[in-house]
């Protein structure tokens, strides 16, 4: 068991972040030679300060089924690598052209554009390698299912709207524990429902922060969506209705966890955190 029933959400989130960072440090060790600069950029992006919410969701979902910590952490790290990759590429001049991420210069500003492209590609490839590693699960079929789910996520990240990628990352994180445990269909469906509503609420909260937050709070530029004319939940619904919709989605997400009774309390707290966070 990863956490005791008595642990608070904040403490569990902090522990998940610490474990993820330690694993990332090992997996992204800088090699000698020509690859060193790219690995430095990969580490700069993957180890940037952050909540590590997605790894937490993997670990918390895995705990529901008694999955070994080592296996769950492998998947958690792979998901965080994908998240870091998406941020590096989203920030590029050809995309959002952002100078700030997580309170410090974006990867292409700290290094250069070409290195940032390679760093993002490297993180994505490394994620596949981690999922396919026997350390992730002893059953090759489970590893194949994880890779297939991850690959679908990647395709969504490249070919669909940005907010669909956000939801896909969260969906993968929430269902990963069930995949590792070979959980029955009913329980996997419940986690998918939770992840769907949580992902939409997360995006609405992001849209609200872009309007109401500050760069000091979010660690990235705000107001960019309005300036670019991008359609968001806030631009379509307005602030009041968008916030009400996020709260409704969180209530629905929590209801999906009824099957797990008290064992899912950390996931319930994670859902409440999503719409109250200021970062």
């Amino acid at each position: 068991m990863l956490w005791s029933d008595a642990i608070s959400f904040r403490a569990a989130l902090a522990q998940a972040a610490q474990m993820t960072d330690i694993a990332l440090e090992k997996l992204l060790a800088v090699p000698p030679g020509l690859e060193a600069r790219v690995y430095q950029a990969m580490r700069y992006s993957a180890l940037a300060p952050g909540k590590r919410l997605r790894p937490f969701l993997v670990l918390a979902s895995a705990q529901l089924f008694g999955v070994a910590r080592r296996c769950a952490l492998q998947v958690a790290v792979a998901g965080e690598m994908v998240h870091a990759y998406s941020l590096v590429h989203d920030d590029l001049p050809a995309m959002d052209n952002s100078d700030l991420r997580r309170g410090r210069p974006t990867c292409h500003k700290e290094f250069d554009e070409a290195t940032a492209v390679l760093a993002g590609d490297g993180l994505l490839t490394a994620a596949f390698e981690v999922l396919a590693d026997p350390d992730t699960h002893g059953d090759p079929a489970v590893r194949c299912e994880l890779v297939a789910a991850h690959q679908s996520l990647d395709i969504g990240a490249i070919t669909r709207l940005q907010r669909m990628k956000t939801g896909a990352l969260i969906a993968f994180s929430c269902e990963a524990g069930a995949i590792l445990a070979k959980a029955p269909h009913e329980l996997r469906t419940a986690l998918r429902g939770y992840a769907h509503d949580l992902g939409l609420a997360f995006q609405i909260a992001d849209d609200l922060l872009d309007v109401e937050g500050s760069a000091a709070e979010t660690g990235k530029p705000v107001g960019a969506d309005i300036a670019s004319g991008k359609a968001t939940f806030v631009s379509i619904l307005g602030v009041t209705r968008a916030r009400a919709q996020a709260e409704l989605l969180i209530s629905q997400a929590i209801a999906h966890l009824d099957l797990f009774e008290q064992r899912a309390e950390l996931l319930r707290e994670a859902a409440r955190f999503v719409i109250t966070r200021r970062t």
Side-chain angles (χ1 to χ4, degrees), residues 8 11 15 34 42 50 58 64 75-76 87 93 96 118 126 190 208 230 246 261 265 267 269 271 275 279:
S8 69
Q15 286 184 14
L34 298 175
M42 291 166 66
V58 174
L64 291 175
V75 181
L87 298 182
D96 290 345
L118 292 174
L208 286 165
K230 184 187 296 184
E261 299 178 339
E265 192 55 34
L267 289 174
E269 288 299 317
I275 58 170
T279 59

PDB file of all heavy atoms in Angstrom, residues 8 11 15 34 42 50 58 64 75-76 87 93 96 118 126 190 208 230 246 261 265 267 269 271 275 279:
ATOM      1  N   SER A   8      -3.280  12.978   4.242  1.00  0.00           N
ATOM      2  CA  SER A   8      -4.038  14.063   3.614  1.00  0.00           C
ATOM      3  C   SER A   8      -3.717  14.114   2.129  1.00  0.00           C
ATOM      4  O   SER A   8      -2.675  13.615   1.679  1.00  0.00           O
ATOM      5  CB  SER A   8      -3.683  15.403   4.254  1.00  0.00           C
ATOM      6  OG  SER A   8      -2.344  15.777   3.922  1.00  0.00           O
ATOM      7  N   ALA A  11      -0.404  15.971   1.447  1.00  0.00           N
ATOM      8  CA  ALA A  11       0.779  15.172   1.761  1.00  0.00           C
ATOM      9  C   ALA A  11       1.007  14.100   0.704  1.00  0.00           C
ATOM     10  O   ALA A  11       2.140  13.848   0.284  1.00  0.00           O
ATOM     11  CB  ALA A  11       0.633  14.535   3.139  1.00  0.00           C
ATOM     12  N   GLN A  15       4.234  13.717  -1.788  1.00  0.00           N
ATOM     13  CA  GLN A  15       5.006  12.486  -1.861  1.00  0.00           C
ATOM     14  C   GLN A  15       5.070  11.957  -3.291  1.00  0.00           C
ATOM     15  O   GLN A  15       6.111  11.464  -3.740  1.00  0.00           O
ATOM     16  CB  GLN A  15       4.407  11.428  -0.937  1.00  0.00           C
ATOM     17  CG  GLN A  15       4.676  11.678   0.533  1.00  0.00           C
ATOM     18  CD  GLN A  15       4.155  10.547   1.410  1.00  0.00           C
ATOM     19  OE1 GLN A  15       3.823   9.462   0.938  1.00  0.00           O
ATOM     20  NE2 GLN A  15       4.078  10.806   2.706  1.00  0.00           N
ATOM     21  N   LEU A  34      27.627  14.001 -27.702  1.00  0.00           N
ATOM     22  CA  LEU A  34      26.794  14.962 -28.421  1.00  0.00           C
ATOM     23  C   LEU A  34      25.364  15.050 -27.889  1.00  0.00           C
ATOM     24  O   LEU A  34      24.695  16.058 -28.080  1.00  0.00           O
ATOM     25  CB  LEU A  34      26.767  14.601 -29.911  1.00  0.00           C
ATOM     26  CG  LEU A  34      28.115  14.643 -30.647  1.00  0.00           C
ATOM     27  CD1 LEU A  34      27.954  14.147 -32.085  1.00  0.00           C
ATOM     28  CD2 LEU A  34      28.677  16.063 -30.632  1.00  0.00           C
ATOM     29  N   MET A  42      15.949  18.097 -21.773  1.00  0.00           N
ATOM     30  CA  MET A  42      14.891  17.178 -21.329  1.00  0.00           C
ATOM     31  C   MET A  42      14.720  17.248 -19.820  1.00  0.00           C
ATOM     32  O   MET A  42      13.597  17.316 -19.305  1.00  0.00           O
ATOM     33  CB  MET A  42      15.219  15.747 -21.770  1.00  0.00           C
ATOM     34  CG  MET A  42      15.130  15.520 -23.279  1.00  0.00           C
ATOM     35  SD  MET A  42      15.905  13.962 -23.813  1.00  0.00           S
ATOM     36  CE  MET A  42      14.834  12.749 -23.029  1.00  0.00           C
ATOM     37  N   GLY A  50       6.560  21.753 -10.381  1.00  0.00           N
ATOM     38  CA  GLY A  50       5.171  21.495 -10.750  1.00  0.00           C
ATOM     39  C   GLY A  50       4.471  20.655  -9.697  1.00  0.00           C
ATOM     40  O   GLY A  50       5.103  20.061  -8.823  1.00  0.00           O
ATOM     41  N   VAL A  58      -2.070   8.613 -11.320  1.00  0.00           N
ATOM     42  CA  VAL A  58      -1.656   7.239 -11.617  1.00  0.00           C
ATOM     43  C   VAL A  58      -1.475   6.451 -10.323  1.00  0.00           C
ATOM     44  O   VAL A  58      -1.993   5.335 -10.164  1.00  0.00           O
ATOM     45  CB  VAL A  58      -0.346   7.217 -12.435  1.00  0.00           C
ATOM     46  CG1 VAL A  58       0.147   5.775 -12.596  1.00  0.00           C
ATOM     47  CG2 VAL A  58      -0.537   7.857 -13.793  1.00  0.00           C
ATOM     48  N   LEU A  64      -5.931   1.864  -5.550  1.00  0.00           N
ATOM     49  CA  LEU A  64      -7.262   1.269  -5.446  1.00  0.00           C
ATOM     50  C   LEU A  64      -7.219  -0.241  -5.651  1.00  0.00           C
ATOM     51  O   LEU A  64      -8.066  -0.976  -5.131  1.00  0.00           O
ATOM     52  CB  LEU A  64      -8.199   1.885  -6.492  1.00  0.00           C
ATOM     53  CG  LEU A  64      -8.613   3.343  -6.312  1.00  0.00           C
ATOM     54  CD1 LEU A  64      -9.435   3.794  -7.504  1.00  0.00           C
ATOM     55  CD2 LEU A  64      -9.382   3.540  -5.021  1.00  0.00           C
ATOM     56  N   VAL A  75       4.720   3.953 -14.680  1.00  0.00           N
ATOM     57  CA  VAL A  75       3.675   4.558 -15.514  1.00  0.00           C
ATOM     58  C   VAL A  75       3.501   6.035 -15.187  1.00  0.00           C
ATOM     59  O   VAL A  75       3.292   6.868 -16.072  1.00  0.00           O
ATOM     60  CB  VAL A  75       2.345   3.801 -15.343  1.00  0.00           C
ATOM     61  CG1 VAL A  75       1.265   4.419 -16.234  1.00  0.00           C
ATOM     62  CG2 VAL A  75       2.526   2.327 -15.685  1.00  0.00           C
ATOM     63  N   ALA A  76       3.591   6.371 -13.906  1.00  0.00           N
ATOM     64  CA  ALA A  76       3.474   7.772 -13.497  1.00  0.00           C
ATOM     65  C   ALA A  76       4.553   8.625 -14.150  1.00  0.00           C
ATOM     66  O   ALA A  76       4.282   9.734 -14.635  1.00  0.00           O
ATOM     67  CB  ALA A  76       3.568   7.872 -11.973  1.00  0.00           C
ATOM     68  N   LEU A  87       4.242  20.343 -23.163  1.00  0.00           N
ATOM     69  CA  LEU A  87       4.477  21.735 -22.778  1.00  0.00           C
ATOM     70  C   LEU A  87       5.624  22.343 -23.577  1.00  0.00           C
ATOM     71  O   LEU A  87       5.543  23.496 -24.016  1.00  0.00           O
ATOM     72  CB  LEU A  87       4.779  21.824 -21.277  1.00  0.00           C
ATOM     73  CG  LEU A  87       3.670  21.360 -20.322  1.00  0.00           C
ATOM     74  CD1 LEU A  87       4.106  21.568 -18.875  1.00  0.00           C
ATOM     75  CD2 LEU A  87       2.358  22.087 -20.597  1.00  0.00           C
ATOM     76  N   PRO A  93       7.932  28.743 -30.710  1.00  0.00           N
ATOM     77  CA  PRO A  93       7.502  29.911 -31.494  1.00  0.00           C
ATOM     78  C   PRO A  93       6.440  29.591 -32.541  1.00  0.00           C
ATOM     79  O   PRO A  93       5.568  30.412 -32.821  1.00  0.00           O
ATOM     80  CB  PRO A  93       8.809  30.367 -32.153  1.00  0.00           C
ATOM     81  CG  PRO A  93       9.873  29.949 -31.198  1.00  0.00           C
ATOM     82  CD  PRO A  93       9.409  28.644 -30.630  1.00  0.00           C
ATOM     83  N   ASP A  96       2.487  28.345 -29.380  1.00  0.00           N
ATOM     84  CA  ASP A  96       2.009  29.460 -28.546  1.00  0.00           C
ATOM     85  C   ASP A  96       3.028  30.577 -28.397  1.00  0.00           C
ATOM     86  O   ASP A  96       2.703  31.658 -27.901  1.00  0.00           O
ATOM     87  CB  ASP A  96       1.624  28.948 -27.159  1.00  0.00           C
ATOM     88  CG  ASP A  96       0.377  28.090 -27.186  1.00  0.00           C
ATOM     89  OD1 ASP A  96      -0.339  28.116 -28.203  1.00  0.00           O
ATOM     90  OD2 ASP A  96       0.117  27.389 -26.196  1.00  0.00           O
ATOM     91  N   LEU A 118      13.994  18.762 -30.160  1.00  0.00           N
ATOM     92  CA  LEU A 118      14.598  17.457 -29.901  1.00  0.00           C
ATOM     93  C   LEU A 118      14.317  16.984 -28.471  1.00  0.00           C
ATOM     94  O   LEU A 118      14.116  15.790 -28.236  1.00  0.00           O
ATOM     95  CB  LEU A 118      16.106  17.522 -30.154  1.00  0.00           C
ATOM     96  CG  LEU A 118      16.535  17.720 -31.609  1.00  0.00           C
ATOM     97  CD1 LEU A 118      18.047  17.923 -31.689  1.00  0.00           C
ATOM     98  CD2 LEU A 118      16.119  16.526 -32.468  1.00  0.00           C
ATOM     99  N   ALA A 126      11.151   8.478 -24.765  1.00  0.00           N
ATOM    100  CA  ALA A 126      11.533   7.879 -23.481  1.00  0.00           C
ATOM    101  C   ALA A 126      10.317   7.327 -22.751  1.00  0.00           C
ATOM    102  O   ALA A 126      10.399   6.286 -22.079  1.00  0.00           O
ATOM    103  CB  ALA A 126      12.251   8.909 -22.620  1.00  0.00           C
ATOM    104  N   ALA A 190     -15.859   3.178 -14.477  1.00  0.00           N
ATOM    105  CA  ALA A 190     -16.040   4.201 -13.442  1.00  0.00           C
ATOM    106  C   ALA A 190     -14.876   5.187 -13.450  1.00  0.00           C
ATOM    107  O   ALA A 190     -15.075   6.407 -13.352  1.00  0.00           O
ATOM    108  CB  ALA A 190     -16.169   3.540 -12.075  1.00  0.00           C
ATOM    109  N   LEU A 208     -10.297  29.766 -16.651  1.00  0.00           N
ATOM    110  CA  LEU A 208     -10.620  30.788 -15.649  1.00  0.00           C
ATOM    111  C   LEU A 208      -9.351  31.457 -15.131  1.00  0.00           C
ATOM    112  O   LEU A 208      -9.313  32.684 -14.940  1.00  0.00           O
ATOM    113  CB  LEU A 208     -11.395  30.166 -14.496  1.00  0.00           C
ATOM    114  CG  LEU A 208     -12.868  29.809 -14.787  1.00  0.00           C
ATOM    115  CD1 LEU A 208     -13.418  28.888 -13.718  1.00  0.00           C
ATOM    116  CD2 LEU A 208     -13.715  31.078 -14.889  1.00  0.00           C
ATOM    117  N   LYS A 230      -8.711  33.024 -29.064  1.00  0.00           N
ATOM    118  CA  LYS A 230      -8.963  31.589 -28.974  1.00  0.00           C
ATOM    119  C   LYS A 230     -10.289  31.329 -28.263  1.00  0.00           C
ATOM    120  O   LYS A 230     -10.618  31.972 -27.267  1.00  0.00           O
ATOM    121  CB  LYS A 230      -7.825  30.913 -28.206  1.00  0.00           C
ATOM    122  CG  LYS A 230      -7.944  29.394 -28.128  1.00  0.00           C
ATOM    123  CD  LYS A 230      -6.881  28.805 -27.217  1.00  0.00           C
ATOM    124  CE  LYS A 230      -5.492  29.023 -27.744  1.00  0.00           C
ATOM    125  NZ  LYS A 230      -4.469  28.343 -26.883  1.00  0.00           N
ATOM    126  N   ALA A 246     -17.841  23.906 -14.142  1.00  0.00           N
ATOM    127  CA  ALA A 246     -16.706  23.182 -13.549  1.00  0.00           C
ATOM    128  C   ALA A 246     -17.135  22.503 -12.248  1.00  0.00           C
ATOM    129  O   ALA A 246     -16.780  21.347 -11.989  1.00  0.00           O
ATOM    130  CB  ALA A 246     -15.546  24.136 -13.298  1.00  0.00           C
ATOM    131  N   GLU A 261     -15.980   3.315  -2.738  1.00  0.00           N
ATOM    132  CA  GLU A 261     -16.258   3.713  -1.346  1.00  0.00           C
ATOM    133  C   GLU A 261     -15.111   4.587  -0.809  1.00  0.00           C
ATOM    134  O   GLU A 261     -14.604   5.446  -1.515  1.00  0.00           O
ATOM    135  CB  GLU A 261     -16.494   2.453  -0.494  1.00  0.00           C
ATOM    136  CG  GLU A 261     -17.689   1.645  -0.984  1.00  0.00           C
ATOM    137  CD  GLU A 261     -17.923   0.377  -0.205  1.00  0.00           C
ATOM    138  OE1 GLU A 261     -16.983  -0.119   0.449  1.00  0.00           O
ATOM    139  OE2 GLU A 261     -19.066  -0.123  -0.255  1.00  0.00           O
ATOM    140  N   GLU A 265     -10.919   8.158  -1.571  1.00  0.00           N
ATOM    141  CA  GLU A 265     -11.017   9.491  -0.981  1.00  0.00           C
ATOM    142  C   GLU A 265      -9.951  10.438  -1.527  1.00  0.00           C
ATOM    143  O   GLU A 265     -10.208  11.631  -1.734  1.00  0.00           O
ATOM    144  CB  GLU A 265     -10.931   9.419   0.535  1.00  0.00           C
ATOM    145  CG  GLU A 265     -11.304  10.712   1.243  1.00  0.00           C
ATOM    146  CD  GLU A 265     -12.694  11.240   0.868  1.00  0.00           C
ATOM    147  OE1 GLU A 265     -13.604  10.422   0.629  1.00  0.00           O
ATOM    148  OE2 GLU A 265     -12.839  12.474   0.796  1.00  0.00           O
ATOM    149  N   LEU A 267      -8.699  10.468  -4.499  1.00  0.00           N
ATOM    150  CA  LEU A 267      -9.135  10.901  -5.831  1.00  0.00           C
ATOM    151  C   LEU A 267     -10.267  11.929  -5.722  1.00  0.00           C
ATOM    152  O   LEU A 267     -10.354  12.850  -6.543  1.00  0.00           O
ATOM    153  CB  LEU A 267      -9.584   9.699  -6.667  1.00  0.00           C
ATOM    154  CG  LEU A 267      -8.469   8.767  -7.137  1.00  0.00           C
ATOM    155  CD1 LEU A 267      -9.061   7.534  -7.827  1.00  0.00           C
ATOM    156  CD2 LEU A 267      -7.516   9.496  -8.090  1.00  0.00           C
ATOM    157  N   GLU A 269     -10.542  14.101  -3.277  1.00  0.00           N
ATOM    158  CA  GLU A 269      -9.870  15.337  -2.886  1.00  0.00           C
ATOM    159  C   GLU A 269      -9.131  15.954  -4.077  1.00  0.00           C
ATOM    160  O   GLU A 269      -9.071  17.185  -4.207  1.00  0.00           O
ATOM    161  CB  GLU A 269      -8.888  15.051  -1.743  1.00  0.00           C
ATOM    162  CG  GLU A 269      -9.555  14.764  -0.409  1.00  0.00           C
ATOM    163  CD  GLU A 269     -10.383  15.954   0.063  1.00  0.00           C
ATOM    164  OE1 GLU A 269      -9.914  17.099  -0.046  1.00  0.00           O
ATOM    165  OE2 GLU A 269     -11.517  15.735   0.547  1.00  0.00           O
ATOM    166  N   ALA A 271     -10.096  15.861  -7.133  1.00  0.00           N
ATOM    167  CA  ALA A 271     -11.118  16.520  -7.950  1.00  0.00           C
ATOM    168  C   ALA A 271     -11.474  17.889  -7.376  1.00  0.00           C
ATOM    169  O   ALA A 271     -11.594  18.878  -8.116  1.00  0.00           O
ATOM    170  CB  ALA A 271     -12.364  15.639  -8.032  1.00  0.00           C
ATOM    171  N   ILE A 275     -10.460  22.497  -9.078  1.00  0.00           N
ATOM    172  CA  ILE A 275     -11.185  23.749  -9.342  1.00  0.00           C
ATOM    173  C   ILE A 275     -10.928  24.818  -8.272  1.00  0.00           C
ATOM    174  O   ILE A 275     -11.513  25.896  -8.335  1.00  0.00           O
ATOM    175  CB  ILE A 275     -12.704  23.533  -9.516  1.00  0.00           C
ATOM    176  CG1 ILE A 275     -13.321  22.868  -8.285  1.00  0.00           C
ATOM    177  CG2 ILE A 275     -12.979  22.744 -10.773  1.00  0.00           C
ATOM    178  CD1 ILE A 275     -14.834  22.857  -8.326  1.00  0.00           C
ATOM    179  N   THR A 279      -2.710  27.621  -9.453  1.00  0.00           N
ATOM    180  CA  THR A 279      -1.504  27.438 -10.266  1.00  0.00           C
ATOM    181  C   THR A 279      -1.791  26.441 -11.362  1.00  0.00           C
ATOM    182  O   THR A 279      -2.767  25.719 -11.303  1.00  0.00           O
ATOM    183  CB  THR A 279      -0.337  26.922  -9.423  1.00  0.00           C
ATOM    184  OG1 THR A 279      -0.696  25.674  -8.816  1.00  0.00           O
ATOM    185  CG2 THR A 279       0.041  27.928  -8.352  1.00  0.00           C
TER     186      THR A 279
END
